[in-house]
Amino acid sequence: MSLVERNVSAELAHNQATKLGMADVVDYLADVLGRRLVAYIGGVSNTRTVARWASGENTVRGDEAIANLREAYEAAYLITRRDSPEVAKAWFVGLNPQLGDLSPAEALREGSRKEVKSAVRAFIAGG
């Protein structure tokens, strides 16, 4: 993937993550990452809450949770544009040296969204 293609993909991912409703964001993440991981990133312990978010029955509460889920969407979207959902899930749960050996899921939960954005872009660029 060329630099131009990566930039277009990054812009598209950002636009999608920003414009989509939270139910769509959560539904996509649940499909790619699974409900348990989405619950962790969203700061809840119950996967039923994720199912309710995805269906629109309940709304995601809290600016941090919303921002973390939108950033997770952007990262997952970028990865799945060139790799499988399994690769995206592995990236989210694997220890990442760019994140001080935290997993991206942990880093998001701790609010390190900028760092996760840099790490996913490095992953995509590294091919």
Side-chain angles (χ1 to χ4, degrees):
M1 182 180 286
S2 73
L3 179 60
V4 171
E5 289 172 319
R6 281 195 300 271
N7 288 340
V8 169
S9 289
E11 188 173 322
L12 179 61
H14 177 73
N15 288 342
Q16 292 242 2
T18 303
K19 293 177 181 179
L20 283 176
M22 283 307 298
D24 292 328
V25 167
V26 172
D27 188 48
Y28 176 81
L29 288 171
D31 283 346
V32 173
L33 304 177
R35 287 184 188 166
R36 182 179 293 164
L37 190 53
V38 176
Y40 180 77
I41 293 168
V44 296
S45 59
N46 192 326
T47 58
R48 283 177 280 172
T49 301
V50 173
R52 289 182 184 122
W53 289 343
S55 72
E57 182 181 335
N58 287 357
T59 58
V60 179
R61 302 219 186 270
D63 292 341
E64 285 293 309
I66 291 168
N68 291 345
L69 291 167
R70 287 193 185 280
E71 191 61 44
Y73 175 94
E74 192 170 330
Y77 183 86
L78 280 170
I79 294 169
T80 58
R81 294 260 310 167
R82 60 177 295 149
D83 285 303
S84 68
E86 291 79 17
V87 170
K89 188 170 184 176
W91 184 83
F92 269 91
V93 299
L95 301 181
N96 191 309
Q98 290 186 302
L99 300 171
D101 289 331
L102 291 176
S103 71
E106 289 174 296
L108 282 172
R109 187 159 172 154
E110 292 181 6
S112 299
R113 289 181 296 276
K114 281 179 153 179
E115 293 82 358
V116 170
K117 185 179 295 274
S118 294
V120 75
R121 287 182 176 166
F123 180 75
I124 295 300

